[in-house]
Amino acid sequence: MVSFAQGLDTFEEKVTEFTLDNGLHFIIIERPVAPVATFVTFVNVGSVNEPVGNTGVAHIFEHMAFKGTKEIGTTDWEKESAAITRADFVYRQWVRERSKPNPDQERLERLKSRFDELVDEADQYVVSNEFTQIIEQNGGSGLNAFTSADATGYFYSLPQNRAELWFTLESDRFLNPVFREFYAEKDVVMEERRMRTDSNPVGRLIEEFLSVAYSAHPYKNPVVGWSSDIQGTSIEDAKQFFQQYYTPSNITIAIAGDVDPDRMKELAETYFGRMAPGRPAPEVVTSEPEQRGERRFVMVEESQPFFLSGYHTVSQTHPDFAALQLVGAITSQGRTSRLYKRLVEDEQMALAVQAFNGFPGTKYPGLFMTLAVPNQGVTLEEIEEIIEEEFQKVKDGDITQEELDRAITNARASQVRSLNSNMGLALSFAENHAQKGSWKQSFSSLEALEEVTLEDLQRVAETYFVKNNRTVGMIKNESSEEEVAINSEEN
């Protein structure tokens, strides 16, 4: 187990970092506990960076990165590529026609028929899952990726004597990406959206909530994308997104395990040095304006009722971020937390409650969120009243030093656990370098938590937990509401 007391000093001895001439940064963490290594490619781009009309493209491209290369996953790349290019050209024509006020239905049918023919032509050259199979055949494990509002990450582990294989595959898939099975994979993304959002009441509530809470900032858009944008996105759109954001200076690679830093640098220069520097990735320039008043909405559905509230707060680099994190922990994390103890245990008014800061992302000013699930016979208004009472206690300075110390201790324990694996180390160090300027911020963030005082907790609650800064969303079950009303009248 990693000893936090040793902390930063210990890791400084084990970490080697270097930046290639093209701007791509590497962090090598020596951890010779087993003859394996974990490789993380962290790209500082998420759904927050997507252009209007192409929401979901970051997630779509993430799927594309598993489709192989010009040599892997195809029997004839030249013929496959030609068919893909023609199919995408026809698809863009179909999108343009469909978007007209009065589309020509016959032309749409002809374009769709031709598009299907070209997709079938391209598919006959595809060797499905060959990229994944090569990794698994060489002892690879944990092959996966993620897309969030703020970032995209790719990762897996290999035996340390297969490190060069990783350099070969990883550099090739980002040096010359193929858009193989693009439209089939868009269908997979659309199905993910249906499962996680369209068919999920909490997913629907959160999507609606963000679109109400944010007026201007792109945090208002769902990571998976809007359905019409997913359908309308073409290969050409995805290529432009890749070229803008998958530049070497926007990528951080972390390798943790039983590896030789000198050898890793040699391989990095050989394989990733081939990438052209490119232009710096565009930054998000839109700022969310100050909210002018409380925003509320109600969704009436035949589902479990839910309560959701959020206050606009700050980004992860703001001095108040640590105190807001601790307010969330003290009020809802664990059985001794205030909201859990009161709502779930003592008064049994809720089935679950959670409060946390930094949603949907932390790179830009996010939201302090509170989600609660009422028990049968309890109204959402009653849940809201108690939540606000507990937040008022924070404003009144009711938090004790014991509660603060416990929250910091739990945060320290969580930090130790997260850095006790190759994956945890590589992902944390890469993310902190990319978004905060140094892997050492993995430790600085905990130091910031330890410096928070009771006065800080009270101050941030008074500053951010104000009505004009709040958005409230609810899912009400009409049948349940009527039942509660009847019971109230009888009593």
Side-chain angles (χ1 to χ4, degrees), residues 295-328:
R295 301 168 183 173
R296 303 179 72 92
F297 69 93
V298 176
M299 297 163 55
V300 179
E301 300 186 1
E302 287 302 317
S303 76
Q304 165 70 50
F306 291 94
F307 172 86
L308 188 61
S309 69
Y311 295 93
H312 288 279
T313 59
V314 296
S315 72
Q316 61 188 353
T317 57
H318 193 282
D320 288 345
F321 188 81
L324 287 160
Q325 277 187 288
L326 289 171
V327 171

Side-chain angles (χ1 to χ4, degrees), residues 147-435:
T147 304
S148 70
D150 291 337
T152 309
Y154 306 86
F155 49 87
Y156 59 95
S157 299
L158 278 170
Q160 50 98 252
N161 61 0
R162 293 291 187 272
E164 188 165 5
L165 174 66
W166 178 86
F167 279 93
T168 304
L169 296 176
E170 197 76 354
S171 63
D172 203 13
R173 68 168 167 169
F174 294 124
L175 183 64
N176 297 299
V178 293
F179 292 82
R180 184 171 291 132
E181 300 179 304
F182 182 84
Y183 291 98
E185 209 59 36
K186 282 210 308 175
D187 291 339
V188 174
V189 171
M190 192 71 84
E191 181 60 27
E192 285 185 36
R193 182 189 157 79
R194 281 191 286 267
M195 290 175 59
R196 297 176 184 177
T197 303
D198 299 336
S199 302
N200 185 323
V202 175
R204 292 193 297 273
L205 176 63
I206 290 173
E207 183 171 270
E208 189 71 21
F209 187 94
L210 290 176
S211 67
V212 173
Y214 283 97
S215 300
H217 196 272
Y219 271 167
K220 66 184 177 182
N221 294 317
V223 173
V224 73
W226 298 106
S227 296
S228 59
D229 286 354
I230 297 170
Q231 185 178 41
T233 294
S234 66
I235 292 175
E236 187 62 33
D237 296 325
K239 280 183 178 178
Q240 290 179 8
F241 181 80
F242 167 80
Q243 288 164 0
Q244 278 191 306
Y245 291 100
Y246 278 71
T247 57
S249 60
N250 209 38
I251 298 173
T252 301
I253 291 175
I255 303 171
D258 187 11
V259 292
D260 174 18
D262 293 335
R263 177 59 175 159
M264 296 301 100
K265 185 174 183 180
E266 179 186 328
L267 291 171
E269 290 171 342
T270 299
Y271 290 96
F272 285 94
R274 301 177 296 166
M275 296 177 72
R279 295 180 178 179
E283 296 287 347
V284 174
V285 297
T286 302
S287 296
E288 181 66 17
E290 184 176 348
Q291 191 165 307
R292 300 186 181 98
E294 185 183 46
R295 301 168 183 173
R296 303 179 72 92
F297 69 93
V298 176
M299 297 163 55
V300 179
E301 300 186 1
E302 287 302 317
S303 76
Q304 165 70 50
F306 291 94
F307 172 86
L308 188 61
S309 69
Y311 295 93
H312 288 279
T313 59
V314 296
S315 72
Q316 61 188 353
T317 57
H318 193 282
D320 288 345
F321 188 81
L324 287 160
Q325 277 187 288
L326 289 171
V327 171
I330 291 166
T331 54
S332 80
Q333 193 175 81
R335 294 182 174 274
T336 59
S337 63
R338 291 188 166 215
L339 285 171
Y340 184 90
K341 188 164 177 52
R342 182 173 178 187
L343 280 171
V344 179
E345 287 195 346
D346 294 347
E347 300 183 26
Q348 298 184 356
M349 296 180 68
L351 300 172
V353 62
Q354 186 177 11
F356 53 93
N357 189 48
F359 186 83
T362 59
K363 191 175 175 182
Y364 305 96
L367 298 164
F368 184 101
M369 304 283 283
T370 307
L371 173 67
V373 185
N375 216 333
Q376 189 172 5
V378 178
T379 67
L380 293 168
E381 287 74 16
E382 290 172 310
I383 294 290
E384 180 179 5
E385 183 178 351
I386 289 179
I387 289 172
E388 289 308 305
E389 284 178 8
E390 291 302 319
F391 286 158
Q392 185 60 49
K393 291 177 183 178
V394 182
K395 296 180 188 179
D396 293 340
D398 191 53
I399 302 294
T400 66
Q401 187 64 47
E402 181 183 359
E403 288 175 294
L404 176 56
D405 291 343
R406 182 166 57 241
I408 293 172
T409 298
N410 289 339
R412 184 186 297 113
S414 177
Q415 173 88 342
V416 170
R417 287 193 296 271
S418 72
L419 299 180
N420 198 37
S421 68
N422 288 342
M423 176 58 70
L425 283 167
L427 184 56
S428 176
F429 284 16
E431 180 178 11
N432 276 279
H433 170 82
Q435 297 190 345

Side-chain angles (χ1 to χ4, degrees), residues 99-111:
S99 301
K100 292 178 180 178
N102 296 296
D104 183 331
Q105 295 300 324
E106 289 187 6
R107 184 164 189 263
L108 284 176
E109 290 177 11
R110 288 197 305 273
L111 289 169

Side-chain angles (χ1 to χ4, degrees), residues 54-69:
N54 290 133
T55 61
V57 70
H59 184 212
I60 293 170
F61 182 81
E62 175 219 304
H63 281 235
M64 287 295 96
F66 292 87
K67 293 299 180 179
T69 69

